[in-house]
Amino acid sequence: MTKTIILNLTSDPPLLSVMRAAVSKVCEIAGFDQMDTSKIILAIDEACSNIIRHAYKGKGGQSIKITCKIKPTKLEFILEDEGEPADLKKIKSRPLDEIRPGGLGVYIITSVMDKVKFADGMEAGNRLIMQKSIPKDKK
Amino acid sequence: MSLKITNSVEDKVAVLKIAGEVDMFSSPQARNAIMELVKQRVPRVVVELSGVSYMDSSGVATLIEGLQLCQKYNGTLVVAGLRDNVREVFELTRLDKIFQIYKDVDTAKVNE
């Protein structure tokens, strides 16, 4: 059976700490250990930061919806915004041997999560789907 | 949540203590504190992070920028006291190979 939690927040950076606390609990319920939980929180935080920074260009008060689905074998997060659609061709992580500030968010998200996919064909906004398998001994 | 930041400079070593959650909201505060030390061209900046319970890529980017600016005047920026989850961010982004990481401030001060 799938357990679902929906978090609605506005695109205001001070709210990210609230989101992280909620995602931490979701991970705990799904059965992840502390280290995996920390990494998942980081990935979701990076994705939300990207929405604020890129989709909404830093504008506060805009909608971010996070649907968390705890499934028997995986934890799934669906992030939806109503901002500027991302140019999927431009989304890539930078090489790590390039030492410079910035550009690490996408690398972190794709490193931590098992599956990361932007929904195609959105008329407006973005939908990002991320999945992480639940460790077998926790199922 | 804003950060708690204190700094002290003694014998050409600055110790910048940061406490709280470093994310896109609070990292500009950390950046300002580092830039202040960079402006003074402090030879060695030790960023003490034992009070940091969370750090995202904007926090890491702030530290990279600080390190690079210090290196421009032949100074350096090192980090100390990382909690496991913060160290994990450094390892994930392979920045543990770039930064000198010390277990605490005393060790960071000694290993000049």
Side-chain angles (χ1 to χ4, degrees):
Chain A
M1 197 183 84
T2 298
K3 300 182 187 82
T4 304
I5 302 107
I6 297 172
L7 307 169
N8 282 305
L9 59 145
T10 50
S11 56
D12 299 286
L15 300 186
L16 290 174
S17 62
V18 180
M19 176 280 296
R20 291 195 294 269
V23 169
S24 174
K25 277 289 169 196
V26 169
C27 292
E28 188 186 311
I29 292 166
F32 287 97
D33 65 20
Q34 194 53 54
M35 191 47 77
D36 275 340
T37 296
S38 295
K39 290 184 194 172
I40 293 167
I41 292 169
L42 179 64
I44 306 306
D45 185 85
E46 295 291 346
C48 289
S49 298
N50 281 346
I51 290 172
I52 296 172
R53 199 175 282 126
H54 301 297
Y56 290 130
K57 312 285 186 209
K59 189 180 176 193
Q62 309 303 302
S63 166
I64 300 175
K65 181 182 175 187
I66 305 171
T67 305
C68 317
K69 292 184 177 180
I70 304 169
K71 298 183 176 185
T73 60
K74 64 192 170 197
L75 177 58
E76 182 176 85
F77 294 91
I78 303 166
L79 272 64
E80 294 168 287
D81 66 69
E82 295 162 5
E84 189 174 304
D87 182 347
L88 301 189
K89 288 177 204 150
K90 287 187 181 169
I91 297 174
K92 57 180 180 184
S93 57
R94 69 163 167 83
L96 289 188
D97 52 4
E98 212 177 277
I99 307 300
R100 61 172 173 81
L104 289 170
V106 173
Y107 173 81
I108 289 171
I109 293 166
T110 52
S111 298
V112 169
M113 305 306 282
D114 297 324
K115 225 176 212 181
V116 179
K117 190 179 181 299
F118 264 100
D120 294 326
M122 296 282 290
E123 281 183 17
N126 299 284
R127 184 186 293 135
L128 177 63
I129 302 155
M130 294 177 278
Q131 293 176 344
K132 181 83 174 169
S133 297
I134 295 171
K136 279 185 181 144
D137 57 339
K138 299 289 182 187
K139 284 174 199 170
Chain B
M1 294 286 282
S2 58
L3 301 172
K4 284 183 185 162
I5 300 179
T6 58
N7 83 62
S8 58
V9 184
E10 196 181 324
D11 295 334
K12 297 179 182 175
V13 179
V15 176
L16 186 71
K17 288 186 90 165
I18 300 177
E21 297 183 332
V22 185
D23 62 7
M24 78 174 292
F25 174 63
S26 62
S27 62
Q29 206 187 332
R31 184 179 183 276
N32 289 343
I34 291 172
M35 289 308 128
E36 204 50 52
L37 296 170
V38 167
K39 267 190 216 161
Q40 295 170 37
R41 298 170 79 88
V42 177
R44 187 173 179 85
V45 177
V46 179
V47 183
E48 207 278 330
L49 296 170
S50 66
V52 170
S53 56
Y54 176 80
M55 182 178 285
D56 74 354
S57 68
S58 69
V60 165
T62 298
L63 294 173
I64 294 172
E65 187 184 9
L67 173 65
Q68 290 180 331
L69 290 171
C70 284
Q71 286 172 339
K72 278 190 181 169
Y73 60 82
N74 290 322
T76 191
L77 181 148
V78 304
V79 292
L82 278 65
R83 295 189 190 183
D84 287 348
N85 62 318
V86 175
R87 179 178 278 275
E88 181 62 34
V89 182
F90 277 70
E91 289 175 0
L92 193 62
T93 51
R94 294 189 211 150
L95 291 172
D96 54 327
K97 312 286 183 221
I98 306 301
F99 281 93
Q100 292 174 49
I101 300 174
Y102 297 98
K103 64 173 182 171
D104 53 38
V105 169
D106 289 341
T107 318
K109 278 181 169 175
V110 169
N111 284 280
E112 288 184 48

